[in-house]
Amino acid sequence: MASKVNAKAASVLNKDDLIVIGGAGGFIAGSLARYFHEQGFTRIRAIDKKPLPDWYQVVPGVESLCLDLSDPMNCRKACEGAVEVYNLAADMGGMGFIERFRIECLRSILINTHMIEEAYRAGAQRYFFSSSACAYNTDLQKDPNVRALAESDAYPAMAERGYGWEKLVSEMFCQEYWSERGMKTAIARFHNVYGPYGTWDGGREKAPAALCRKVIEAKDSGKLEIDIWGDGHQTRSFMYIDDCLTGIDMIMHCDDLIATPINLGSDFLISISDLVSLAEKIGGVTLKRTHDLTAPIGVAGRNSDNTFIQEVLGWAPSLPLEEGMKRTYAWIEKQYNDRKAGKRTVS
Ligand code: NAD
C-alpha cells in the first residue's frame, strides 16, 4: 500500500479492504464510519460498547458490533482481518466529565493497549489513535491570551490529570509499535471538535453544544437567562467535524507523519463569553448572564499552532466557527424539539 503526502483512503485502499473503527457509537468515530461509507468502502466494521439503540449514528451497510474494547478478546474479534484500524473509543466528555471522572478517563488505557496489540497481531497496515490537546503541558495554558501550542509543547510533560496523561502514554504505545514492530501508526492531537451528532446534553457535552442547548432552552422556557461555567474569559479553539474527518484521513495516510503526534484543530481562538454571544446571535436572542465560578473550566487558554500541519499537509481545518455553529445549533434545536415531542434523539 503506497502512500504519499496528501494521500487519502480513497487513493490508497481497495474499496473492499476492511476498515475497523472503535468508538463508532459516539460522535467522531460514528461520523468517520459515515464518511468512509459515503466514499464507497464496502467493508467497514464499527464497534462500540454502547448497545446499538444508543449509538448516535448507525450507518446502513456498515457492520455494527457492540463490544467492550477494554477486553483483549473483544479487541481480537474487532481487529480480525483489518487493513486499517481507527481507535477513537474512550470514556470521555467535556470539562464537566474529565475533571470529575479521572479514573474512568485513565481506564481508557485498557482500550488503547489491547486495540493496538490486536491490530498488530491481525497484521493491520495502519493504526490511528485519537489523542488530545489535553496531552499538552498545562503550565503553558495558564493565560487566556495563550501562545498556541506546538507539537513539542507536550514535553516536559505536565498533561491534564487523568485524561491527558492517558493520551500521552497511549501516544507512546503508538510510537513504540512503529519503532519496535514496524506497524505504521498515526497520532492526531484533536483540539475541541463540535458539530451535529455530538453529545449535547447529559453531562458529557462540550462548550459549543452546551451553549447552543442553553440558548434553545432559554428561548423555549421564556426564562431569558444563561448560566456560564467560569468567568467566561477562558479561551479555546473549536474544529468543525467535517474538518476533523478530512484531517484524520490525511494524517493516517501520510508516511511523513508515521508515529508523529500532530495537532488537528482550529487556530481561531475565542473566549467562552464570545462563544456565548455567537450562540445568542444565531438564536436571535440576548440573555441575562450568570456565572458559575465553582464549575470545572479546565486550563485558562488553549489554541492549536497549525504550522506543522500546514508544512506537512499544506492543509489545516478552515470552516469558520460561525458557519459551524449555525449548523450545530440547527441540529441541536431539532434534537431538542424531537425530544420534547417524545421522539428518539441522540444523547
Ligand atoms: P464520544 O464520547 O462521543 O465517543 C467515544 C465512544 O467510545 C463512545 O460512544 C463510548 O461508548 C465508546 N467507548 C468508551 N469506552 C469503550 C469501550 N471500552 N469499548 C468500546 N467503546 C467504548 O467522544 P468523541 O468526541 O467522539 O471522541 C472520540 C475520540 O476523540 C476520543 O478518543 C476522544 O478522547 C478524542 N478527542 C475528542 C475531542 C472532542 O472535542 N470531541 C477532543 C480531543 C480528543
Side-chain angles (χ1 to χ4, degrees):
M1 187 174 60
S3 172
K4 52 190 184 308
V5 171
N6 291 342
K8 285 193 179 172
S11 58
V12 296
L13 291 182
N14 298 315
K15 288 292 188 228
D16 60 353
D17 283 344
L18 179 63
I19 298 174
V20 168
I21 305 175
F27 170 37
I28 305 173
S31 303
L32 191 64
R34 180 171 38 79
Y35 170 88
F36 285 133
H37 181 71
E38 283 170 358
Q39 290 180 24
F41 287 98
T42 55
R43 294 181 65 220
I44 301 166
R45 182 178 296 148
I47 299 140
D48 204 285
K49 74 172 175 184
K50 288 191 292 206
L52 272 178
D54 294 344
W55 288 31
Y56 296 173
Q57 301 179 71
V58 176
V59 185
V62 166
E63 180 188 5
S64 300
L65 303 178
C66 174
L67 292 173
D68 183 340
L69 295 175
S70 62
D71 177 318
M73 286 305 120
N74 285 341
C75 292
R76 187 161 298 179
K77 260 188 232 163
C79 292
E80 198 183 348
V83 173
E84 292 193 345
V85 175
Y86 295 79
N87 182 24
L88 290 92
D91 236 329
M92 63 91 62
M95 285 321 304
F97 184 84
I98 67 176
E99 286 204 357
R100 284 199 189 108
F101 301 106
R102 292 190 175 128
I103 295 173
E104 300 306 320
C105 293
L106 284 167
R107 285 178 62 83
S108 292
I109 197 75
L110 297 173
I111 305 172
N112 293 320
T113 51
H114 297 320
M115 273 302 268
I116 197 165
E117 172 65 17
E118 294 307 329
Y120 171 74
R121 290 172 71 128
Q125 291 172 18
R126 288 178 189 265
Y127 181 88
F128 178 91
F129 173 60
S130 51
S131 186
S132 165
C134 292
Y136 282 115
N137 190 320
T138 48
D139 286 344
L140 301 172
Q141 305 170 63
K142 291 185 165 161
D143 189 328
N145 300 310
V146 68
R147 165 177 74 72
L149 294 160
E151 285 74 2
S152 56
D153 288 330
Y155 293 96
M158 188 52 72
E160 190 120 10
R161 281 188 71 81
Y163 181 69
W165 279 101
E166 191 280 321
K167 292 293 188 191
L168 211 51
V169 174
S170 293
E171 286 188 1
M172 203 177 287
F173 271 95
C174 292
Q175 293 173 314
E176 299 310 332
Y177 270 80
W178 165 240
S179 73
E180 280 182 26
R181 301 198 190 172
M183 181 165 70
K184 291 184 177 178
T185 56
I187 307 158
R189 288 188 185 140
F190 296 170
H191 291 247
N192 298 295
V193 189
Y194 73 101
Y197 293 99
T199 313
W200 60 279
D201 201 1
R204 289 186 189 238
E205 64 280 15
K206 299 192 161 196
L211 295 177
C212 289
R213 188 202 70 231
K214 286 180 181 185
V215 169
I216 293 162
E217 275 169 354
K219 282 175 65 175
D220 184 47
S221 68
K223 198 172 164 221
L224 295 179
E225 289 175 7
I226 187 163
D227 183 43
I228 301 164
W229 286 12
D231 62 11
H233 294 137
Q234 66 272 31
T235 54
R236 293 291 187 278
S237 70
F238 299 97
M239 166 173 56
Y240 191 66
I241 181 67
D242 291 3
D243 278 333
C244 181
L245 302 176
T246 304
I248 292 173
D249 193 352
M250 290 174 92
I251 291 167
M252 177 71 148
H253 299 102
C254 175
D255 278 348
D256 290 347
L257 289 175
I258 293 171
T260 307
I262 185 166
N263 278 333
L264 181 54
S266 162
D267 61 1
F268 178 74
L269 191 69
I270 185 168
S271 70
I272 294 301
S273 288
D274 288 347
L275 191 63
V276 174
S277 303
L278 185 54
E280 285 176 337
K281 182 178 161 195
I282 294 165
V285 70
T286 303
L287 304 173
K288 180 169 176 296
R289 299 181 184 195
T290 54
H291 291 270
D292 180 355
L293 301 178
T294 62
I297 60 159
V299 294
R302 177 182 290 152
N303 196 6
S304 175
D305 181 331
N306 286 347
T307 311
F308 184 50
I309 195 167
Q310 281 286 7
E311 210 173 271
V312 186
L313 298 177
W315 174 91
S318 61
L319 191 94
L321 183 62
E322 181 157 356
E323 176 56 31
M325 281 290 281
K326 275 186 194 157
R327 296 182 197 176
T328 307
Y329 185 100
W331 180 81
I332 293 176
E333 195 168 41
K334 175 153 188 342
Q335 293 289 305
Y336 183 90
N337 290 333
D338 281 356
R339 186 171 69 184
K340 239 181 119 177
K343 293 188 196 157
R344 192 184 165 273
T345 60
V346 165
S347 87

